[in-house]
Amino acid sequence: MVRFFLRFCLISHLFNGLLLLGALPISEASAQQVNIYSFRHDFLVEPLLNRFEDTTGIMVNIVSGNADVMIKRLAAEGAQSMTDLLLTVDAGRLERAKALGLLQPVSSAKIEQALPSRYRDKDKMWFGLSVRARPILYNRQHVKPWAVKDYTDLSDRRWRGRLCLRDSKNIYNQSLVAGYLAHKGAAQTRLWVRGMVANLAQRPQGNDIDQIKYVAAAVCHFSVVNTYYLARLLKSENPQEQAAARQVGVIWPDQEGDGTHINVSAVALARHAPNREAAIRFIEFLLTEDAQRLYSEQILEYPVVSGVPVAEIVKSLGPFREDTLSLNALGIYNAQARQIMKEEGWD
Ligand code: FE
């Protein structure tokens, strides 16, 4: 009850600018708590929150919202902000929040011990919680899996009219192009993007789930998607969704080159966090083996802590070698990547 009340108050405060927390009974208001701005409701599973609250006595309050809106709001709130932690996806987006001065560094031996350095910001401003991979998706009926080997192959003229892509406003593809740019330079990236745009079966549209459905329905024969969407459809109780997922297969690109593009979901401490210590304890908790197991099973991504098993359905998509490019590069090359996408007509 208390938590819902607190959550309600926090939501009201953040969204209406009303300081409703003042109305709380003193004993509850002074209890230790941590306030999280999360891009998605189910991002933190209830059992995970309960476990943290039970072991630490720290209450967790969550506000959910669109990630880019969240970042704007955090900027607008400034020092008045009640937010302790920002939970969102894509290193490109976290780098944006960092550049806007919305984050603060965290030094924690526990975090550094648990989390490999490639999954965290070099300035200690954000910390990966799960790894997401963005391989190539293909239609099993129309294409052989060995037809395409690398991301570069998607620009091959033999695939005219056979590629689907999300629009260029989406951070996932911006980060994919930024990673390619970091490895191969501007000239080659431009040719790649140009070739892919020429190969489009339709105007860039839809989300990742839609890409799976387009490929399954043979609107196009290839796309690029984050694997957790495919895993979700494979587990779907809707028979049509499951059938669509079974029509498509995964190609792990660049296995002999730079590796398959990956990204992270991550957590960051807000610059003006009022509950700094409790917030850091929560980050440390999310990187424990127990929490990682629950977390990766719920969101069907890859755990960041070694030794934690991958969910069975995710494992069924096969092993792959991931790109080890610094995730900071995805932020550094974001603007140039967007520029190239725009100039080459990726709407
Ligand atoms: Fe996603």
Side-chain angles (χ1 to χ4, degrees), residues 39-45 48 87-89 128-132 226-232 235 264-266 291-304 311 313-314:
F39 89 114
R40 204 166 81 193
H41 259 300
D42 59 352
F43 200 68
L44 285 173
V45 261
L48 201 65
L87 245 152
T88 186
V89 298
L129 296 176
S130 64
V131 173
R132 51 248 322 271
N226 288 354
T227 50
Y228 53 89
Y229 291 109
L230 182 56
R232 267 190 229 165
K235 279 184 81 169
V264 286
S265 78
Q292 278 284 302
R293 186 170 291 125
L294 265 172
Y295 189 76
S296 62
E297 247 160 47
Q298 170 73 12
I299 61 175
L300 300 175
E301 296 178 29
Y302 299 88
V304 287
I313 197 86
V314 179

Side-chain angles (χ1 to χ4, degrees), residues 327-344:
L327 291 171
N328 288 115
L330 305 182
I332 294 165
Y333 287 95
N334 178 275
Q336 201 186 349
R338 278 187 293 145
Q339 182 70 21
I340 291 173
M341 291 161 96
K342 192 173 157 212
E343 284 169 4
E344 296 302 329

